[in-house]
Amino acid sequence: MENKTFAYVRVSSKEQNLSRQIDSMLQYVKDPRDIYCDKQSGKNFERPGYQALFYNLRSGDELYIHTLSRLGRNKTETKNQLIELQKKGVLVRVLDIPTTLMDFSAFGSLQRSIMEMVNNILIEVLSTIAEVERDNIRTAQKEGIQSAKKRGIHFGRSLTPYPDSWSADYKAWKNDQCSAISLIRKYNFSASTFYRLVRRWEKSQKIH
């Protein structure tokens, strides 16, 4: 089967226009039907156009995209998708990354190996960028939490206060003088809130 050239274009919303991207792809893709489109967020790859494209790609095919951000916004997922395309034997060419567009036909049989090497470098660069972004996010979150704690801001679920009669009611419950249901109804608690208070109380009182 003859190898084919495909393209993928995407905008983030239905109101945006795909014409500019499609026009730029027509110089590389012979048949407009081989240009797959989505008007959808790039946060993941659950897009009908892309899923149809991925299904139709075969080893030896080439895929043109305008920019890596058009393929996907999440760098980790984009990297993983490039790996999946590589496993399929698809060569990815990105218009704003000139190295991926270079013609290596002068190298004869080495052409494909060189293009695969270029794609590997693309994946490695994305991996590094994604890791740096994750580290930066973790650092910013850690610094933000520490700064907030210094200002007296606390995170996590706020603790439900004990009712004024809790100590006496707890003792009565433990001595089988009343039921848990009666206290849950009395305090208008959920069962999980009641038993969470019990565990917290017993831990603070060192009751076993």
Side-chain angles (χ1 to χ4, degrees):
M1 185 180 294
E2 183 182 356
N3 293 336
K4 295 185 65 174
T5 300
F6 294 88
Y8 177 72
V9 299
R10 182 186 66 81
V11 289
S12 299
S13 67
K14 293 180 180 180
E15 292 74 27
Q16 293 176 289
N17 198 300
L18 289 162
S19 299
R20 184 175 64 87
Q21 289 185 58
I22 292 174
D23 289 344
S24 68
M25 293 301 172
L26 287 173
Q27 60 182 308
Y28 303 103
V29 180
K30 297 178 181 178
D31 191 339
R33 291 174 298 180
D34 291 328
I35 300 176
Y36 288 77
C37 310
D38 277 311
K39 289 191 171 186
Q40 194 170 330
S41 167
K43 64 181 180 180
N44 58 49
F45 286 86
E46 297 302 317
R47 309 172 219 138
Y50 184 80
Q51 290 297 319
L53 164 68
F54 191 83
Y55 177 80
N56 284 300
L57 287 167
R58 299 290 182 267
S59 179
D61 290 344
E62 294 186 4
L63 171 61
Y64 283 82
I65 55 176
H66 200 265
T67 67
L68 278 176
S69 65
R70 294 304 90 201
L71 183 61
R73 283 290 186 185
N74 183 302
K75 289 186 175 59
T76 300
E77 287 202 18
T78 301
K79 177 203 72 174
N80 292 337
Q81 200 61 35
L82 285 172
I83 292 173
E84 291 302 313
L85 291 168
Q86 186 184 58
K87 288 178 181 177
K88 267 187 170 246
V90 176
L91 295 178
V92 178
R93 297 184 182 271
V94 189
L95 299 197
D96 69 345
I97 303 180
T99 310
T100 67
L101 299 176
M102 292 177 66
D103 181 8
F104 296 105
S105 58
F107 293 89
S109 60
L110 289 176
Q111 178 185 11
R112 185 165 186 83
S113 296
I114 294 171
M115 273 305 302
E116 287 176 348
M117 180 182 68
V118 170
N119 276 237
N120 281 333
I121 293 171
L122 190 60
I123 290 169
E124 287 302 317
V125 169
L126 266 181
S127 298
T128 302
I129 292 172
E131 185 61 35
V132 169
E133 286 191 347
R134 284 195 297 270
D135 288 343
N136 288 342
I137 289 170
R138 291 192 197 106
T139 300
Q141 288 175 337
K142 185 177 180 181
E143 290 175 349
I145 290 171
Q146 289 174 343
S147 176
K149 284 181 176 179
K150 287 179 181 178
R151 298 197 305 272
I153 300 173
H154 299 282
F155 297 88
R157 178 189 289 164
S158 59
L159 297 178
T160 303
Y162 293 110
D164 293 338
S165 60
W166 175 264
S167 180
D169 287 339
Y170 171 83
K171 289 177 182 177
W173 172 62
K174 292 298 283 186
N175 291 326
D176 295 326
Q177 295 171 354
C178 66
S179 67
I181 293 296
S182 67
L183 294 181
I184 288 171
R185 289 173 178 168
K186 175 181 178 180
Y187 301 138
N188 196 26
F189 284 162
S190 65
S192 60
T193 298
F194 173 77
Y195 286 107
R196 188 164 58 247
L197 285 174
V198 167
R199 289 193 296 272
R200 200 171 90 216
W201 179 263
E202 291 179 345
K203 185 177 180 181
S204 68
Q205 303 296 313
K206 294 183 170 54
I207 299 171
H208 300 286

